[in-house]
Every structure is written in C-alpha cells, then in structure tokens.
Amino acid sequence: MNFSEVYTHMNEPLLPSPALVERTLAKVQRRRRPWRRAAAAALAAALLLVTPALAVRTEGGYELLYQLSPAMAQFFQPVQKSCTDRGVTIEVAAVRVEGDTAQAYITLTGGPVDETTDLFDSWSFHLPFDQSGRCERLSWDPETGTITFLCTVQTLDGSPIPTGEKMTFSVRQLLAGKETLENAAVELELAAFTAEAETVPVGGPENAYFCTGGSGEAGMTDSAPMLLPGPALAEPAPGLTITAAGYSQGQFHVQLCRGNAARLDNHAWLWLEAEDGTRLEPLYSASFAAPSQVQRQDYTQFIFDVSPEELAQYTLRGDFHTASALTEGLWQVTFPLEDKS
C-alpha cells in the first residue's frame, strides 16, 4: 500500500464519522456569537487536520481543509477522472504538463449540454501552489454530443509545475441554449420619446434601485438616473425587453430589462443608427437591480448625447445575447499532473 492508504488504514477506525465532521462544519457556518464561531472553527480545523483522509470525503470538509492546507487537501483527495451530476458527465480526456504550465482537456456530455454550453464563470482550480488559470471552449462533436474545454494553469512565479501533484477542477453551473442576434433593429418609434422621463431613486433608501455596474465614462455610471420601469415597449429578443425611454438631465436614455441576469446572463449592447449607416454609440451604460422582490430584475440603461430634434433621424439597433437553460450542481474531477505525452 502507498502512504495514503497506510495512513487511512491505521487511523480510520479511531476517527469520528463523516456525519460528525459535517455537523461540526455546519456550526462554523451558523450565525453565532464571535467566540462561539471561533471555537467551532477551531474544533473543525482540529478535526480536519487530524483526519484529512476522512475530511476529503465530504464537500464541506474538503473545502475547509483546502483553506487550511491546500497541499494536504490535494494529497488526500482521491483521483477521480469522471463525475456525473444532474445527468451531465464531466471527464478528463487528457493532461499535458510542460514547464510552468499544465493543461487539461475536459469533456462534458449528457443533459442539456449543447454546442453553446458555457461554464458561466463557476469553474475553479484547486492546486497546492499559487497559480493563475483560464478555461476556454475548444470544440463540439455533434455526433456524440460532447463539448470539450481546455483548462490551463500556470505557476505565478514561473517555476516548473511540481511533479507528483494533483489538480482538482470543479464546476457548479452550466449555461446552455445560448443564442446571439446581431445588428437587429428594435421596433421602437424614437420620436415618441422626446419628453422628460420619470425616474426612481438610486441608492440610499431601502426601497431604491441599486447600481450593479456599467461601462463608459468613469464616475457617470453610479450617478446615472434610473428611469421608472414600465410595461414592455418592445421585445427584440426572448427575455430582453425595452421597458422605458426618454430624456433625463438633457440626455436620451433607453432602458433594457434583462430579467434575472444572474440566472441566464441575458445581455445586449444598443446604439443609434442613422439612415446612412452612421452609428451613434452611447456615452456610457449603467446597470441596476430592482429592490428586494420575489424575483430579481436587472436593468441596463444606455445613455446617448442626442437632442430631441435629432432623435427622429435614428433607429435603435443592438446585439442581443440570451440563454435558455441554467443547470446547477457540482461536477468535480481530480487527476495527477503528469505529462502522458
């Protein structure tokens, strides 16, 4: 037997059960007095450091042990090159290690997986050394329904990948059914929206909308007025609707409702276009979320520097990106970082 197996064989009969570890970890997450949280965390840490082979069997135990000691967590994490959850199977197809870089080819099949499948920034690398990484969609095989991603990690200091180490790659969300509609005209008569628009509070009061981001001129995003959302004026793509338009502070605003953007990542980019094809890009955009509701609503407003007299010369156009399926689960594979080439 190797060292890991000997260690487990010697210590496992004397150790607390996985249920006890789970209950101890749960205490760390509950809202308690600071000294009680600290005591619970210390107890969980002690249990995990004494019983690492047992800790890695539970998701919570592995996560906490990884925070305490990445090297120990990865040492005791068993090799598992495939994993199935929610009808989707993730598998390690190949691994390549060269110098300070390691690459793994990860395939996904089953369930809602299609050629547009996105890992939705929910992927992560677990390694026992400081590293940076990226994950990119590589290919789609329509005959087998297999999509392949290339996952790349590099050591931060440029040193060679330590031999004999293991990498754990995990994914928690899969986004599928993605569609793109480019350079599409929005059926909205802009000349009907030259009046001053009604706005709603942003920030401050509990019932106010709050800014979640944007693009363009620095400092203008946070201070952009939020138009009062209304019924759909146009729906250029499924799940994306124009809910307000008009002037505020001398500038023309168009509001796009994205639904719950955290679920499907529906988004768009709008511009104004003249009959001769000249494009007028927005000065900036600002994104907002509605106050506490049963279902979250996200909005993006596009702000243009155009007078009411000139507005009728333009058509509203945009690029629209939507998705139809979000699958949540836990797909996790662990494999040695060994060059098999």
Side-chain angles (χ1 to χ4, degrees):
M1 291 189 292
N2 60 32
F3 174 76
S4 175
E5 293 171 333
V6 172
Y7 183 96
T8 302
H9 178 73
M10 293 175 59
N11 290 278
E12 191 172 46
L14 306 175
L15 301 179
S17 67
L20 175 58
V21 175
E22 288 288 8
R23 289 198 301 270
T24 304
L25 292 171
K27 292 180 181 179
V28 179
Q29 299 173 350
R30 292 173 187 162
R31 294 180 176 271
R32 293 181 178 270
R33 295 178 182 177
W35 69 269
R36 289 185 178 177
R37 288 202 305 270
L43 176 58
L47 281 172
L48 295 178
L49 290 175
V50 171
T51 65
L54 176 62
V56 296
R57 295 182 185 180
T58 66
E59 179 186 349
Y62 170 74
E63 293 291 342
L64 183 53
L65 182 59
Y66 186 85
Q67 296 300 318
L68 295 171
S69 174
M72 183 179 293
Q74 288 308 111
F75 179 81
F76 284 100
Q77 181 76 342
V79 171
Q80 180 180 329
K81 294 188 177 182
S82 66
C83 173
T84 301
D85 190 16
R86 310 292 182 182
V88 176
T89 297
I90 182 172
E91 187 170 1
V92 183
V95 180
R96 174 179 173 272
V97 180
E98 183 177 350
D100 66 344
T101 302
Q103 293 183 311
Y105 293 85
I106 306 292
T107 64
L108 282 82
T109 56
V113 170
D114 63 11
E115 61 183 319
T116 71
T117 298
D118 189 330
L119 304 185
F120 207 21
D121 291 335
S122 69
W123 52 268
S124 61
F125 297 109
H126 281 189
L127 291 159
F129 50 84
D130 292 334
Q131 38 77 31
S132 63
R134 64 182 184 276
C135 189
E136 55 190 308
R137 187 167 50 231
L138 195 64
S139 65
W140 164 252
D141 184 345
E143 292 186 4
T144 62
T146 302
I147 192 165
T148 301
F149 289 85
L150 176 60
C151 303
T152 303
V153 293
Q154 291 179 293
T155 57
L156 282 182
D157 59 5
S159 60
I161 297 288
T163 58
E165 300 291 1
K166 287 181 288 187
M167 180 170 86
T168 296
F169 177 76
S170 62
V171 179
R172 292 183 177 276
Q173 293 180 319
L174 302 176
L175 195 62
K178 298 176 65 176
E179 294 186 6
T180 297
L181 180 62
E182 296 182 330
N183 193 23
V186 180
E187 296 182 3
L188 192 67
E189 187 62 45
L190 298 182
F193 299 95
T194 58
E196 195 75 6
E198 185 177 357
T199 61
V200 294
V202 176
E206 185 176 334
N207 63 345
Y209 287 74
F210 56 95
C211 186
T212 59
S215 63
E217 298 184 31
M220 298 191 72
T221 297
D222 292 341
S223 61
M226 169 74 179
L227 301 189
L228 175 66
L233 302 174
E235 187 176 13
L240 291 172
T241 56
I242 305 297
T243 49
Y247 278 81
S248 180
Q249 300 179 357
Q251 296 171 330
F252 180 60
H253 294 239
V254 178
Q255 181 184 89
L256 179 77
C257 179
R258 303 163 56 200
N260 186 346
R263 298 289 302 173
L264 294 176
D265 192 35
N266 290 343
H267 60 282
W269 181 256
L270 303 181
W271 66 88
L272 301 181
E273 189 169 305
E275 291 184 3
D276 62 2
T278 302
R279 285 175 54 152
L280 178 63
E281 300 288 348
L283 290 175
Y284 62 97
S285 67
S287 297
F288 302 90
S292 180
Q293 294 179 338
V294 175
Q295 183 174 0
R296 175 173 172 143
Q297 295 291 309
D298 289 276
Y299 301 86
T300 298
Q301 283 191 188
F302 298 87
I303 294 86
F304 300 89
D305 184 17
V306 58
S307 69
E309 292 75 24
E310 298 173 316
L311 192 59
Q313 305 173 16
Y314 291 95
T315 299
L316 182 64
R317 303 187 73 90
D319 294 333
F320 303 91
H321 308 272
T322 61
S324 60
L326 175 67
T327 304
E328 297 182 304
L330 177 60
W331 297 268
Q332 185 168 281
V333 289
T334 300
F335 48 94
L337 291 177
E338 300 172 354
D339 196 344
K340 298 295 185 181
S341 60

